[in-house]
Amino acid sequence: QLQLQESGPGLVKPSETLSLTCTVSGGSISSSSYYWGWIRQPPGKGLEWIGSMYYSGNTYHNPSLKSRATISVDTSKNQFSLKLSSVTAADTAVYYCARYQTGTASFDYWGQGTLVTVSS
Amino acid sequence: QSALTQPASVSGSPGQSITISCTGTSSDVGSYNLVSWYQHPPGKAPKLMIYEGSKRPSGVSNRFSGSKSGNTASLTISGLQTEDEADYYCCSFAGSGTWVFGGGTKLTVL
């Protein structure tokens, strides 16, 4: 059974960089059928797609984040990561990592999510 | 890239049917048959319920169905059960490798 688990600091100061890691277990991050993505949910709001990455490096990002988001993959650790620079209070959210399956064009496995608060 | 439009809330009694709409534009919902729906209980991970507009993953009840007309996709839940109570989100491919979610709909089973 595939499992995804987010990890990282729960508190980040304004203007700093938010860094999260998603550890994938029960399957290989190097599979050709999947992308790996990040999605967030600000308090009281809906889901927002942040970006997705193929294990070989092909990456797509939400243009609304104005290039602040960087997604990378570490195949040796079966992990992928998110870095979001110059954070503000508006970046406070529950951050989810998820697997995107190309065959069904959908996010079929999700982590439990981790709350990141941006505050001084 | 604007969020897809969903009603903030819908409600129904056990056994009834409800439909949740998801309105986008000709750049996302209207251009691709790549709408998916997710059930999101509070404090839990979202669960895929419908993909490619109308297909159900293995293990998802056939009480859940999806459809699309023009720029609007819909999720219908028939034979409502109390366990269906959750937030529901639609998601559409928006071109150039990007995706957009709806604002979410809170389903209350009365």
Side-chain angles (χ1 to χ4, degrees), chain A residues 100-117:
Chain A
Y100 169 82
Q101 182 177 146
T102 57
T104 61
S106 59
F107 297 95
D108 60 352
Y109 280 92
W110 297 63
Q112 289 296 312
T114 186
L115 174 63
V116 179
T117 302

Side-chain angles (χ1 to χ4, degrees), chain B residues 3-103:
Chain B
L4 307 176
T5 300
Q6 297 180 233
S9 63
V10 298
S11 62
S13 299
Q16 288 186 331
S17 295
I18 62 94
T19 296
I20 299 172
S21 62
C22 169
T23 300
T25 69
S26 58
S27 297
D28 38 60
V29 176
S31 286
Y32 309 97
N33 199 26
L34 295 177
V35 174
S36 49
W37 289 90
Y38 301 87
Q39 180 189 65
H40 191 193
K44 295 188 177 182
K47 176 185 177 183
L48 175 65
M49 306 303 285
I50 295 287
Y51 66 94
E52 292 180 358
S54 61
K55 299 177 182 178
R56 278 188 309 275
S58 174
V60 171
S61 171
N62 60 8
R63 297 186 298 106
F64 291 82
S65 61
S67 63
K68 192 189 88 165
S69 177
N71 295 339
T72 298
S74 298
L75 173 72
T76 297
I77 309 174
S78 58
L80 269 180
Q81 299 179 0
T82 54
E83 67 205 49
D84 299 331
E85 196 163 276
D87 294 330
Y88 289 83
Y89 291 88
C90 60
C91 178
S92 174
F93 184 64
S96 302
T98 67
W99 296 84
V100 61
F101 281 90

Side-chain angles (χ1 to χ4, degrees), chain A residues 9 11 13 15 46 51-52 54 61 65 85-86 92 102 115:
Chain A
L11 181 64
K13 289 183 168 55
S15 80
S52 301
Y54 197 57
H61 294 93
L65 293 174
S85 63
S86 305
T92 294
T102 57
L115 174 63

Side-chain angles (χ1 to χ4, degrees), chain A residues 5-58:
Chain A
Q5 180 66 57
E6 306 89 350
S7 59
L11 181 64
V12 181
K13 289 183 168 55
S15 80
E16 295 190 344
T17 296
L18 176 160
S19 295
L20 295 173
T21 296
C22 182
T23 300
V24 179
S25 57
S28 173
I29 205 169
S30 302
S31 171
S32 61
S33 301
Y34 310 112
Y35 277 69
W36 303 92
W38 290 94
I39 295 135
R40 69 180 181 179
Q41 182 177 30
K45 296 187 178 182
L47 298 172
E48 179 184 31
W49 174 76
I50 298 171
S52 301
M53 183 172 192
Y54 197 57
Y55 76 95
S56 62
N58 196 19

Side-chain angles (χ1 to χ4, degrees), chain A residues 77-100:
Chain A
K77 295 182 179 179
N78 225 35
Q79 295 176 334
F80 62 105
S81 300
L82 169 70
K83 291 188 185 301
L84 186 65
S85 63
S86 305
V87 297
T88 69
D91 295 309
T92 294
V94 175
Y95 285 77
Y96 296 94
C97 59
R99 186 183 81 172
Y100 169 82

